Structures are given as structure tokens and as C-alpha cells.
Amino acid sequence: MGETDLGLTEAVSIALGGMIGGGIYAVMGVVAKITMTATWAAFVLAGVVALCAGYSYNALNERSDDRGGSVSFVQCYLGNSTLAGMVGWTLLFGYIGSMAMYAFAFAEFAITLGLPADLVGLPTRPVVSVLAIAGFVGLNLLGARSTGMAENVLVALKVAILAAFGILGLVYATGYSAAPLELGFGRLAGVSPIVAAAISFVAFQGWQLLFYDQERIADPTETIRKAVYISIPAAVVVYVLVGVVTVNLVPDALTSHPHVALKDAASMMMQPYGLAALGAVLLSVSALFSTGSAINATLFSAAHFAKGMLTDDLLPDDLGDADADGVPQRTLLVIGVVTAAFSAMGSLSAITSFASLSFIVIFGAMSVLAFSQRDADDVNPVPPAVGAVGSAAFFPLMLYNLYSREPNTFYMVLVVAAAVVAVELLYFERSYLEREVTRIESGVADAVGSDD
């Protein structure tokens, strides 16, 4: 194994680091408000669809000569550059939404640690979110990045803290709390767990970053396949633990201040040991660390993904230099500015919904693409079918939830989506449009000439 080759442990760390930590701190409150005691079921359902999408990615990757992710798969199997570019743009906006979500949660937990909620009459949260994004853009411009060993240690710490949170919470709920542990089985007959699963989908997107980093992974096809099948179930277990504990210990906090309810749960479960205040502080510090590292890792990956799109002429040259060493600085700055705008102006629910919608579309599309290869001996059609059907069910439920809960945000998302698609089509079909304009102009000139 070469110096730059990452093994299975590092691959699992990358995948888990992209899911556990930033995602759970950001989405837990939003998901729990919708389905409360059945929150665990939402995470299980989202995890099943994500795992089926992971199978689809692996199946496509194993049969493709061009190592890459969603964009490469579309180019390889469909040969359609316009569609590949639109998939790439959608993914890029999904990453931007994810980072905005992490930055939102980062600021919320920073305020719980003592920052004032208002400064000179202005809310602190958007300012802190923007400053956090600016700081990590600066770090990436300087070329800072964790090594493989450091990433292993950091991810292990994040997972250990959340696992300890879940286990200690269960101990408190079953041994110290007078109220019985509720698992919300009565809610499973309704649609709320499915809606909540759709919204939580963004918390299961980190694993597919492995497909864009295959040149650094030893035996990439086999290593990534194993890493996907290890990391997604591991994330589900942690999310289920945290979900059960939070909704049982602090249901009122999920209603009054859902974004930071985990802090209240940590405080409560540490009361029997006389460490309530310490529990709240440790959880908040862990949340800052986790959401911050999630911003940094996603920014690095998104910028490299954008560079690949620049190389393939799937993004305008004005967004960066594809021949630059490392990540083009202009690309990092553009991604940072757009992310900061999302985080400053959007609500956490809206940002989470926007990011989840992006990944639902892409994961669903890759599942459909894998299902189209079902005649191959090594492709089982069942997982891709489940991934495609699950994504197809999530999408309209997400939109309906957004429409019913935040109609203004719903219309804004539709306008932004329509604008993005229009710009994509104008960019990718520019050669055709130029030919058509030239043809029309020539026709007009000939008609004018004949009249003369």
C-alpha cells in the first residue's frame, strides 16, 4: 500500500465522518418535531433507502471503467453530458445546503455556550454561521486538511461521544426516569415517520464522497464496497440511540428549542452523577467540533468535486482554473459565498429540506440507473428498486411537508430550483442555442436581402 493509499479503516472513517456528527446535531430537532417518539423509525427507514442507494453506487462502480461518482456513472452508462452536468450541479447544491445546515447548527450550539443571542440589535446566529464558513474557507485556502490517521481519531471521538450519549441516556431513561420508555409504535401507521425519514436523508449522504476519492484508496472497488456496507448501518445504530434518548428525555425541549435539544438531554442524563452542567457543556462542545469538522470536510470534497466538473467542462471557466494545483481558490470562494448566503438567510428546516431534496433526487436517479443494469449477473435488482421507490416516495412527501409547514420557503425552493435548471440548460445547450440563433439570423438576413 502506497503512502497515499487509504485502507478500509480510513475509508470507513471518511464515510462515517461525513454522516455522523454534523448531520445528527443539525437534523435531530427538525426530524423529532415531526414524528417525536417514532424518530428512530425515521432514521431506520432513511438508512434502508440510503443503503440501497449505496448498493446501486457499488454496482455501477464495479461495472464502470471510469472511476468516479454520479456524474461519471451518467456519462459512462448514458453518454449524456447535459444530464451528467445537471446531476453534478444538483449534487453541488446539495453539498452547499449541507454545509449551510452544519453552519446553522454550529452557531446555535455556540450560543448555548455563552454567546449572546443578539449583538447591537441584530441576531447573532447568522453572523456566527457566516464567520464559521469564512474561517473554514480560509483554512482550505491555506491547504489545511486532516491526515488519514488524524481523521480516524477524530471520527472515533465523534462516534464515541454520541454512542456514550445514547447508552447513558438509555440507562437514565430505564433506571432513573419515572416515565416508561416510549418507542412510538402507534405512529408507524401514519406518514409522519416517512416524512421525517425524507428530511433526515441529508444525514446519510457522506458515504458517497468515497467515490470521488478513489485514486487515494487501495483496491478502491472492494474497499469502498465494504466501507459503504459498514458505515451506513453504523450510522443508523447511533442515530436510533440518540433519537430514542432525546425524544424520551426532553420532549418539551424539542418543541421549544429543537435545534439544541440534545444539550438538555445530556444535562438530564448526567444529573444522577452530579454532572448536569458538565454534560451540557461537553455535548455543546462536541456539537461545535462535529459541525465544524463537517463543514471543513464537505467544503474540501465539494471543491474537489467542482474542480473535476471544471475539467470536464461541466462548470463555467469563470468559477475556477481546472489546471490549478489543488483546489482552485476562486472555486472555494464561490462555494463559500453561496453557502454563507444560504446559512444566513434560511431557516434550519428549509436548509435541511433543500439539501435532503438534492440527495433524494441523485440517490434515486443512481438507483434507477443501477436497476437498468439488472440483466447483468452481478446486479441484484431488488436493492436498486427499493432505493428508487423510496426516493420517489420521499420527494413528494418532502415537498408537501415544506408547503404545509413553510409555504413561503416552499415557493422560494421552487423558484430557486427552476432558476438553477434554466441556467443549467442554457449552459449545457449553449452550442445548440448558438447554432439556432445563427440560423435564425441568417434566415432573417436572407429574407431581408430577397426583399431588397
Side-chain angles (χ1 to χ4, degrees), residues 164-182:
F165 172 92
I167 293 168
L168 287 172
L170 285 180
V171 169
Y172 181 90
T174 55
Y176 294 93
S177 176
L181 194 68
E182 293 188 30

Side-chain angles (χ1 to χ4, degrees), residues 13-346:
S13 292
I14 292 170
L16 275 177
M19 289 186 285
I20 290 182
I24 190 65
Y25 290 114
V27 307
M28 173 56 72
V30 178
V31 171
K33 276 191 73 174
I34 293 173
T35 195
M36 290 304 289
T37 49
T39 294
W40 65 269
F43 286 128
V44 170
L45 181 56
V48 168
V49 176
L51 192 60
C52 290
Y55 176 90
S56 299
Y57 269 75
N58 280 325
L60 294 171
N61 196 50
E62 289 168 6
R63 304 187 71 250
S64 172
D65 294 329
D66 185 10
R67 293 285 174 243
S70 309
V71 174
S72 297
F73 295 155
V74 173
Q75 289 176 320
C76 174
Y77 291 97
L78 300 180
N80 189 323
S81 295
T82 297
L83 188 58
M86 295 179 75
V87 165
W89 282 43
T90 303
L91 261 180
L92 204 51
F93 272 98
Y95 293 141
I96 287 169
S98 298
M99 289 185 288
M101 178 184 75
Y102 302 146
F104 195 113
F106 180 94
E108 290 279 358
F109 279 99
I111 291 170
T112 68
L113 285 171
L115 282 181
D118 297 281
L119 285 173
V120 294
L122 296 174
T124 306
R125 203 284 307 162
V127 176
V128 175
S129 293
V130 170
L131 289 176
I133 293 165
F136 288 113
V137 167
L139 281 177
N140 276 268
L141 287 173
L142 293 173
R145 196 196 183 198
S146 302
T147 63
M149 181 60 70
E151 187 71 17
N152 291 345
V153 173
L154 297 178
V155 171
L157 282 173
K158 287 196 289 186
V159 174
I161 288 170
L162 284 170
F165 172 92
I167 293 168
L168 287 172
L170 285 180
V171 169
Y172 181 90
T174 55
Y176 294 93
S177 176
L181 194 68
E182 293 188 30
L183 297 177
F185 290 116
R187 291 177 174 266
L188 300 184
V191 297
S192 67
I194 305 175
V195 174
I199 291 175
S200 73
F201 208 65
V202 67
F204 288 97
Q205 60 87 11
W207 54 267
Q208 42 87 40
L209 297 174
L210 291 171
F211 292 88
Y212 307 116
D213 213 8
Q214 295 191 53
E215 70 277 0
R216 295 199 310 132
I217 297 174
D219 190 11
T221 301
E222 184 65 15
T223 301
I224 291 174
R225 184 182 67 82
K226 292 178 180 177
V228 168
Y229 298 148
I230 292 171
S231 61
I232 296 176
V236 171
V237 170
V238 173
Y239 289 171
V240 166
L241 265 177
V242 174
V244 168
V245 166
T246 305
V247 297
N248 274 276
L249 295 190
V250 289
D252 293 338
L254 285 168
T255 302
S256 59
H257 47 277
H259 305 159
V260 292
L262 271 70
K263 175 207 56 139
D264 291 357
S267 177
M268 180 177 290
M269 71 179 62
M270 296 301 286
Q271 278 180 355
Y273 315 103
L275 300 172
L278 179 63
V281 170
L282 284 177
L283 194 284
S284 296
V285 170
S286 172
L288 280 182
F289 165 73
S290 296
T291 51
S293 65
I295 296 170
N296 191 48
T298 307
L299 181 62
F300 178 87
S301 298
H304 272 271
F305 177 66
K307 182 182 179 181
M309 292 181 66
L310 284 166
T311 302
D312 294 337
D313 196 28
L314 299 177
L315 282 174
D317 293 337
D318 292 340
L319 294 183
D321 180 8
D323 297 324
D325 292 333
V327 178
Q329 293 188 354
R330 199 184 317 150
T331 305
L332 266 174
L333 290 171
V334 170
I335 292 174
V337 168
V338 177
T339 302
F342 264 73
S343 187
M345 294 187 296

